[in-house]
């Protein structure tokens, strides 16, 4: 039984033919020269196939126009309006071109290296200003350096999708020891410029993070697909050992006029107001992440700064001031005695 052309391939063949015809293509031309239409058993079957394909392409936004020569119906032809089908002129900002440059350089060792290089060259040539080229060059040094791990990267991605275990040789950072590892791969992530494999180490029976630059030799998939489940609550940063930045909070402070200059300098909101039982003070809002750090700073100003909010910062400052009082009290008494 002869092989049939898939509908998608036939549509693509028709688009290519109608784009490249110098004037028009008649139905007879299409049936005779476009792959897939010669498989129609009868003229009626071809007519139905061709009309259906035209409708499908038009629905997809391909502007197929009818060219009537004014003669016999058989001379009616078709072509694609190239002006209407062409994409609008690409107008990229330097930042956008920079991102595309990074993407192209990331894949420089993969199977699509030739295509990405050609695309980037065309985009650079489309820029009317040298600014675009300068932007691309400026970010060249930021491209992820994955040449040495590209094979591992692609193999691991496939294994994650298929949920297959992998084996590889790995050099430990702490000891330098090189051992064979068998891992159920959960995710491949990038942190601080480095690529990591997160997964379950079968030998150690625990979750582990592996830096891809320390993988030596090839990575091989092993075992059946669908062999494990990937945790839904996977915390990549915690597994890698990265500390998350503390959430940003705000402290409302009442300052004596012309005091606490460092706090004033970084104040987000400020004003001259009377606040509660502390008249004649300037109210400022200062952002912080560590209660300990801001309490140490505020306590150093003594009574020049009063914490109005939040309560935990206020309590921490009071604790420090009370501790300072306890330290200085006995010393002053000794001098008086």
């Amino acid at each position: 039984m002869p092989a049939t052309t898939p509908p998608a391939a036939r549509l693509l063949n028709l688009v290519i033919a109608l784009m490249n015809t110098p004037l028009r293509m008649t139905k007879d031309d299409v049936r005779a020269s476009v792959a897939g239409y010669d498989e129609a058993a009868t003229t009626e079957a071809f007519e139905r196939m061709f009309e259906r394909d035209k409708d499908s392409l038009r629905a997809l936004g391909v502007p197929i126009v009818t060219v009537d020569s004014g003669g016999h119906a058989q001379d009616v032809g078709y072509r694609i309006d190239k002006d209407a089908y062409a994409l609008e002129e690409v107008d990229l900002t330097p930042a956008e071109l920079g991102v595309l440059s990074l993407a192209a350089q990331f894949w420089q060792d993969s199977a699509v290296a030739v295509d990405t290089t050609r695309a980037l060259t065309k985009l650079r040539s489309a820029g009317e200003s040298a600014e675009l080229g300068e932007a691309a060059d400026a970010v060249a040094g930021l491209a992820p350096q994955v040449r040495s791990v590209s094979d591992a990267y692609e193999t691991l991605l496939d294994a994650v999708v298929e949920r297959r275990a992998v084996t590889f040789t790995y050099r430990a950072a702490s000891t330098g020891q090189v051992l064979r590892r068998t891992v159920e791969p959960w995710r491949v992530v990038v942190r601080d410029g480095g690529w990591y494999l997160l997964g379950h180490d079968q030998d150690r029976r625990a979750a582990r993070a592996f830096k891809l630059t320390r993988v030596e030799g090839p990575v091989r998939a092993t075992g059946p697909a669908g062999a494990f489940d990937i945790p839904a609550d996977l915390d990549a940063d915690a597994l890698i050992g990265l500390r998350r930045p503390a959430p940003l909070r705000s402290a409302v402070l009442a300052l004596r006029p012309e005091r606490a200059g460092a706090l004033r300098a970084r104040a987000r909101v400020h004003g001259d107001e009377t606040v509660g039982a502390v008249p004649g003070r300037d109210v400022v809002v200062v952002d912080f992440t560590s209660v300990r750090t801001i309490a140490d700073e505020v306590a150093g100003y003594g009574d020049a700064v009063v914490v109005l909010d939040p309560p935990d910062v206020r309590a921490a400052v009071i604790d420090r001031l009370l501790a300072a009082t306890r330290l200085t009290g006995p010393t002053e008494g000794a001098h008086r005695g």
Side-chain angles (χ1 to χ4, degrees), residues 161-238:
V161 173
E162 297 173 1
R163 289 185 290 128
R164 295 183 64 192
V166 293
T167 61
F168 53 85
T169 303
Y170 188 76
R171 182 179 297 276
S174 56
T175 64
Q177 189 176 18
V178 179
L179 294 174
R180 195 73 174 167
R181 301 292 184 94
T182 301
V183 177
E184 297 171 0
W186 293 339
R187 189 183 301 172
V188 179
V189 300
V190 61
R191 293 291 188 275
D192 294 336
W195 289 88
Y196 294 85
L197 165 67
L198 311 181
H200 178 77
D201 189 325
Q202 291 184 352
D203 299 319
R204 288 157 182 76
R205 299 181 181 180
R208 289 288 188 271
F210 303 91
K211 196 166 186 178
L212 295 196
T213 53
R214 291 199 283 269
V215 174
E216 299 187 355
V219 177
R220 304 187 188 281
T222 181
F228 56 87
D229 294 323
I230 298 175
D233 57 347
L234 178 60
D235 188 336
D237 292 339

Side-chain angles (χ1 to χ4, degrees), residues 142-158:
L142 302 178
Q145 299 300 313
V146 294
R147 295 185 186 89
S148 62
V149 297
S150 60
D151 292 341
Y153 178 84
E154 294 177 7
T155 303
L156 289 171
L157 281 187
D158 290 341

